[in-house]
Structure formats: structure tokens, C-alpha cells
Amino acid sequence: MADILNKIGSFSSEMGAEITAYDPISQELFVVSGGTEVQVLDLSDPTNPTEVIPPIDLASLIPDIDGANSVAYSNGLLALALEASTSTDPGKVAIIDIAAYKNNPADPNALTVVQAGPLPDMLTFTPDGTKILVANEGEADDGIDPEGSISIIDVSGGIATLSQDNVATADFSAFNGREAEFRAKGVRIFPDKTVAQDVEPEFIAVSSDGTTAFVNLQENNAFGVVDLESATVVDILPLGAKDHSQGQPTLELFEFNDLPVLGTTEGGQEIKLGGLSGLFYEGTDPATGNLKFVTVPDRGPHGKPTDVDGDGSKERPFALPDYQAQVIRFELNPSSGEIGITETIFLTRQDSTTPITGLPNIAGVDEEPVDLSGNLLPLDEFGAELEGVVIAADGTFWMVDEYRPAIYHFDTNGVLIDRFVPQGTAALAGAAVGTFGTESLPEEYANRRRNRGFEAVALDPDENILYAFIQTPLQNPDRATSNNSDVIRILGIDTTTGNAVAEYVYLLEDPAFLSGGRVDKIGDAVYAEDGKLFVIERDSAVGDTAKKFIFQIDLTAATNLLAPDAPTLPTGSTLEQLSADDLDALGIQAVNKIKVTNLPSIGYLAGDKPEGLALLDDGKLAVLNDNDFGVLEQEIPVDGSVP
């Protein structure tokens, strides 16, 4: 194997060499080794580096320093991060006009020193050279644990007039009191420490426009995001707890081709099968080696809410009003990549005849349905927006929907066995109990956001518990609460009775620093074993910077809020109003999360909705995306067509 690097020259020094900075114009290299001296080398002839000037003895120029931990160079200025003699005391940053110093080391304008935070461990310039950023590690020593911080030094006016007034500090004190929240997200914070004490800034990278810094919090398994204009740490982003014994995830992509036509719009547009939400793995065909799956389209193709009648309220247009909810069986040949649909099971009510449509249930509570010409459509008390599916050992289907939310149970032929809805559902419509199904679920679940009810379902076959995941935090008691909550409820029902027997808190990893909207949605879930499940958590963005996380979660140590000894919430409070630290103070333990991957990071860029997740026999995960039937998210023209 050919050598990648070939040594062409070297320079020997008893001082050693640890950190370097390079000036490409003068071709000079500045070297520090943890001591108090800086070497300046001429690399114009890289085969024969030579010393430009004698080493700069910082200890003779600056009192009470222990050594230089970092060096950086830009636009004629050399910056050095200097640790204090007592490492827990504030450190210093020395800024040298290197040309002036070489001309006259005694020139008072050649060197300026400002104070930084304890243990300045690394520094760098912004791309335009106008700011120096310093990572103050604040490492504990001898029983003293100073706070970590980032110093931002404005050198745009040069160093002749530079003073401490030109130094701003971005600290982490605003995050104190949120320790449980960050621990739940995978940030390592010791039990007896505040966030500001425990974080230890180690290294800094700067955005190309010089407005944002990303600071490695090495000991905390996270990094901070700093707005340089305001000198504010805007967020702490976890790198996630990971099981590295599983290796790096890899991706294989398979596409559906030649999907059948589902129907034709009033305007003559053919709409193909799509909108696939939920995924269940049935096993491998021993004869063909094909992988066998089950999925469900949601409520059928629909357009973006549009004010079709000019009343100031937007209605929900349905492209195929006669769409009947259905189960799709398909097989994947992993060798050829071919996918074939093998069976379609249409879903009906208990009379085996009446179709279950995708139309909403309750007037004034659900969206008002219309066709593509703006005509009002009838409601369907059992209409479903199906989003997840599992198959029990007896071959019956369990599904969840977003409308009520509801849990459906169908026999092997697609005939409804029962539908479980929140208590008080019939009262919302002024109807008799039972009109919309068996009211066995907790009443609070009726506070779902519109079309953000149950999104994922998973079955524990050993305990006969079916777990349904709310897609987005409940608007409990209002929409503002939902918008600001990280609490996802996981509800477990006994499959033999339909009664709720378990409820757990799942905390979203929802950063304040984001590019694609909130990470506030569950995509799907699948049960693994021993109380462990895999879960998709996502935002609404597309592209390689989108957030489509897969976590493995563990219920075993989490608090079952329906257990007799479960903690009681404060009077007048709901789960969604409580922070992770509030929950921790009450003794409520959320499910444990280990990050498996972020799908776009391994090349999965199939839209914004990975909403199917299945676990294969060999431990691989299968992910299916919802393409919304190929209908664009645009208001309809009210002419019988969809965009």
C-alpha cells in the first residue's frame, strides 16, 4: 500500500509541539506546547523549517499564568489562550501584533491581554478575523468547580485600544434548573451539578457567515449553539446516548413501482395508491425469501384545507370521497428489489357491509369535509385516519387513528370487532354513548390536536398490551400548551378488555435551535422485547438536515401513571404543562431513550413523513414513508381537481 503522507522536513525543539497556527502569507507557523513559550517557524522551505525569532516568553510578559493551551492566527494577530496559575481562576487571552512584536518586542502596542473564563482551553477567530472565540472549560479542581463559558473578543478595531469592554461572555446559567430535561435528551450532567457547572466547553467551530458558533461540550456528550451577535448560548444539543456495539447503521432503499390506481377525481385525475402509514412485518416466505409486510393508507387522498365557500373557515377537501379504509399486504424481494402487492382487505363496520371511510366523525370538533367542487360531504361516525397497524397472534388487526383518537380492532377479514375511544366522545356530539365506539380510553385523550391523535402502535405479545402513541403533545388544556410541550403520552390497553392499564411519558428531543420546525411528532413504533421498543421521532422538514430520529426506548424503569401508586399531579396541572424537571421533582420517570440513528444522516431522504417502522427477524429495521398519495400541500382550485 502506497504511503499517504511522506515526511519532507522537520524541526526539533526541547519545548515540544502540541498546538499550531499557520499564516499562509508569511508562511510562518506558530507553535505552543502547554508551556509559556511560543515558537515562530519559517516554513517557506518546508524541507528545512527554521526559527524566525527566539521563542516568545509569555511568562516574562504576563504574570500569574501556567501555560498556553491554544493558539490561533488571523490578519496579523496572534491569539493565545493562557491558563491561570490556579486553573480554577479566570484565565487570560494574549493578543500579539506579530509584525510589531518582531520589529520591537518592547513595543507596548504589540501585546494586549484580556481576561477570559477559567481554563481557556481553545480559541479561534471568526472567518473575517473580527472576533476571537474562547472555550473556557471551567474544569473542576481541588473541590472548586467553576462554570464553563465562551468568551467573545471583538478585535475589529485592532488591539491598540482593546480593553475588557471588548469582551463578552456567553454562559450557560440560563439552562440551570433544566438538568432533568437535558439528561432525558442524553446530555451527561452529574446529579449534584447545575448545567452551568457541569458543561465544559472544549472546542469551537464557526459558521461560514460568522454569526453562529458550535461548541463541543466533550464531557457532556453534547454541543452548545452560540449566537455571536448577542453573545448568547441559544441551545444545548445532545449527541444522544448510543449503543456503539451495534455498529454504524447502513441503508438499503427499495421503491414501490407501478402502484395501482386508487380512483379518479371529478376532474379526471388518476390517483394511485399511496399515503402508506404504519408497517408490520409478517415474516419471510420460506419458498421465495420475500419479506412480507402489512400497511394501511390513511384517510385517502386529500387536499390542503381551503375556504371553498367563502365563510372565512377552511374546509378539508377529499379527492376521493368514496374511499374505503383498507389493509394492504405486500412482499419485497430483497435480491431484486421488486415490491408486489399481494392482498387488499377492505374495512367495514360490524355489519360486514357498511364501509369504513376516511371521513371525519363529529361536526364542530373535526374538520368539515368537502369534495373537490366544494360540496359538503357527510360525516362518518366510524371514519378513520389510520396511522398504524399490528397483527395479533390470532391474526386479527389492531390499528390506531388520528381523528378521535381511536384504537380499532378488526377480524382477519377486515370486519370491525370494536373501536375504543376516549370517555366523553359521544357527549362532544350530543349523541348516545357508544355512537362512536366503546368509551374506554382516558378522557384527556380527546384533547388531541386536530388530526394529531394516535400515530403509532406496538404490541407486546407476552403481556397482551397494545401501546398507542399520541403523535404530538395534547392541547391539554390548550393549543399553546401543545406548542410548548415535549410530553408524548404512550397509552397501553389490555387487548382482552380494551381497558387502559398503562400510561408512560416519552420526552421529545426538540431543540430550540432548528431549521425545519419543531421536532414534535411521532412517526411509528414497533415492539422489540423485554419492554423495549423502537420509535421514530420527527420534524416536518425534508433534506439532509431534517430530523428523523429512530430511538430505542425502554419502559421497564419508567413510571406507569395508571398504577395505583403513581405520583399525583399538582392540582390544576396537566402532564403537558410540566417540564422534564417538574416531572422529575414529582418522581415521574420518562422512558429511557437510546438513539439509533437520524435517517437523513444515513441517506434516507424519502420525504418528510417516515411513518412506518417494522423489526425484521435479523434485527434490521424497515422504514416506510407516507407520500400523501402524491397530492401537493396546496389549496385546491375548487374545480374538481387537486394540485
Side-chain angles (χ1 to χ4, degrees):
M1 180 177 179
D3 291 336
I4 298 174
L5 298 175
N6 294 312
K7 179 179 176 180
I8 61 173
S10 65
F11 180 86
S12 297
S13 168
E14 293 182 359
M15 297 178 191
E18 184 178 2
I19 308 293
T20 63
Y22 181 66
D23 175 11
I25 296 176
S26 68
Q27 296 183 305
E28 291 176 348
L29 186 72
F30 306 95
V31 184
V32 296
S33 59
T36 59
E37 294 181 301
V38 184
Q39 299 175 88
V40 184
L41 305 181
D42 179 3
L43 295 188
S44 58
D45 178 4
T47 65
N48 183 34
T50 58
E51 199 167 53
V52 177
I53 57 175
I56 302 172
D57 184 5
L58 298 171
S60 67
L61 303 172
I62 306 167
D64 300 323
I65 61 170
D66 186 59
N69 291 330
S70 183
V71 60
Y73 176 88
S74 180
N75 296 336
L77 298 181
L78 185 68
L80 299 124
L82 306 175
E83 182 178 336
S85 298
T86 301
S87 65
T88 53
D89 287 345
K92 296 181 175 71
V93 172
I95 306 164
I96 301 174
D97 181 330
I98 195 65
Y101 182 88
K102 286 192 291 185
N103 183 58
N104 178 12
D107 183 350
N109 294 321
L111 170 68
T112 297
V113 179
V114 293
Q115 182 175 291
L119 194 59
D121 202 43
M122 181 269 179
L123 50 67
T124 188
F125 284 87
T126 54
D128 62 3
T130 62
K131 294 182 178 70
I132 300 170
L133 312 180
V134 189
N136 303 308
E137 188 171 1
E139 191 174 67
D141 186 43
D142 197 24
I144 300 173
D145 191 357
E147 295 185 354
S149 64
I150 298 92
S151 296
I152 303 169
I153 306 169
D154 185 351
V155 293
S156 59
I159 66 171
T161 59
L162 188 68
S163 71
Q164 201 64 33
D165 291 338
N166 298 105
V167 182
T169 301
D171 64 31
F172 295 84
S173 59
F175 300 98
N176 290 343
R178 296 171 59 185
E179 288 76 18
E181 173 190 341
F182 286 112
R183 290 187 192 109
K185 292 181 177 182
V187 180
R188 193 229 65 179
I189 300 173
F190 278 114
D192 58 342
K193 300 292 185 181
T194 65
V195 172
Q197 281 181 317
D198 206 53
V199 295
E200 296 183 356
E202 187 84 21
F203 201 89
I204 301 173
V206 189
S207 62
S208 58
D209 62 4
T211 63
T212 307
F214 302 92
V215 183
N216 175 18
L217 308 176
Q218 176 177 284
E219 310 298 332
N220 308 98
N221 191 42
F223 62 92
V225 182
V226 183
D227 177 73
L228 298 181
E229 182 64 30
S230 63
T232 304
V233 181
V234 297
D235 205 358
I236 298 173
L237 301 180
L239 296 174
K242 299 179 181 67
D243 181 357
H244 291 284
S245 69
Q246 298 298 313
Q248 176 66 28
T250 58
L251 179 70
E252 295 177 276
L253 290 173
F254 305 94
E255 292 191 13
F256 283 84
N257 295 310
D258 301 321
L259 285 167
V261 174
L262 195 63
T264 304
T265 67
E266 303 163 50
Q269 297 167 298
E270 287 188 342
I271 297 181
K272 292 185 176 182
L273 175 66
L276 304 179
S277 300
L279 188 65
F280 183 81
Y281 171 65
E282 290 194 276
T284 300
D285 187 318
T288 64
N290 288 353
L291 306 179
K292 300 188 294 183
F293 295 96
V294 168
T295 185
V296 289
D298 49 34
R299 55 181 162 174
H302 52 274
K304 184 177 181 179
T306 306
D307 184 4
V308 299
D309 53 12
D311 65 353
S313 298
K314 293 185 177 183
E315 292 76 35
R316 173 67 73 174
F318 285 79
L320 302 175
D322 294 330
Y323 168 81
Q324 184 174 357
Q326 53 200 259
V327 175
I328 304 295
R329 277 194 163 102
F330 69 91
E331 294 187 6
L332 164 65
N333 184 318
S335 299
S336 67
E338 293 182 0
I339 300 174
I341 294 174
T342 58
E343 185 180 16
T344 300
I345 301 173
F346 291 96
L347 304 179
T348 67
R349 295 194 192 185
Q350 291 169 325
D351 61 8
S352 304
T353 302
T354 306
I356 289 179
T357 71
L359 297 173
N361 308 157
I362 302 176
V365 176
D366 297 338
E367 295 170 309
E368 191 173 31
V370 295
D371 64 21
L372 297 183
S373 295
N375 300 307
L376 192 64
L377 294 172
L379 297 169
D380 179 356
E381 292 92 341
F382 282 79
E385 183 172 6
L386 299 175
E387 294 290 343
V389 58
V390 296
I391 301 177
D394 61 3
T396 60
F397 299 98
W398 289 89
M399 304 174 203
V400 294
D401 101 307
E402 293 189 291
Y403 277 147
R404 294 282 45 85
I407 298 173
Y408 289 79
H409 190 197
F410 294 94
D411 70 15
T412 57
N413 296 312
V415 178
L416 183 66
I417 297 172
D418 209 341
R419 184 198 196 205
F420 303 100
V421 297
Q423 298 168 20
T425 295
L428 295 174
V433 173
T435 299
F436 302 95
T438 301
E439 299 190 2
S440 63
L441 309 184
E443 185 176 5
E444 284 181 301
Y445 283 77
N447 293 327
R448 89 291 180 263
R449 282 167 55 175
R450 272 187 177 178
N451 308 323
R452 296 282 186 94
F454 289 134
E455 179 69 27
V457 64
L459 177 63
D460 178 350
D462 299 320
E463 300 295 332
N464 292 318
I465 296 178
L466 186 84
Y467 293 106
F469 290 66
I470 282 291
Q471 182 185 36
T472 294
L474 297 177
Q475 49 184 27
N476 190 22
D478 51 33
R479 177 60 180 268
T481 299
S482 174
N483 290 344
N484 291 288
S485 178
D486 289 336
V487 173
I488 292 292
R489 296 182 186 231
I490 305 172
L491 183 67
I493 69 165
D494 183 336
T495 57
T496 62
T497 65
N499 293 328
V501 295
E503 185 179 48
Y504 299 100
V505 170
Y506 175 110
L507 292 173
L508 293 163
E509 183 176 310
D510 184 30
F513 179 80
L514 43 80
S515 57
R518 286 197 67 195
V519 182
D520 65 348
K521 304 173 191 69
I522 296 298
D524 199 11
V526 60
Y527 190 83
E529 60 181 359
D530 300 329
K532 296 181 176 64
L533 302 89
F534 291 97
V535 180
I536 295 176
E537 178 182 331
R538 69 174 184 87
D539 61 7
S540 294
V542 295
D544 56 9
T545 61
K547 312 296 187 296
K548 317 293 177 188
F549 303 124
I550 296 180
F551 289 99
Q552 184 183 65
I553 69 170
D554 192 341
L555 305 179
T556 54
T559 303
N560 179 1
L561 295 173
L562 298 186
D565 59 349
T568 302
L569 301 187
T571 302
S573 296
T574 69
L575 274 178
E576 289 69 25
Q577 291 175 313
L578 301 178
S579 69
D581 290 86
D582 294 333
L583 296 170
D584 183 66
L586 292 170
I588 297 174
Q589 176 66 49
V591 300
N592 184 61
K593 298 168 65 176
I594 295 178
K595 186 174 289 183
V596 176
T597 191
N598 181 31
L599 289 169
S601 299
I602 58 172
Y604 187 95
L605 303 174
D608 68 321
K609 295 182 177 180
E611 293 188 346
L613 185 65
L615 179 62
L616 308 188
D617 294 328
D618 59 4
K620 292 180 180 178
L621 291 169
V623 178
L624 181 66
N625 73 295
D626 176 359
N627 72 343
D628 287 328
F629 300 90
V631 176
L632 299 179
E633 183 66 10
Q634 299 176 10
E635 293 190 0
I636 64 168
V638 200
D639 62 359
S641 67
V642 288

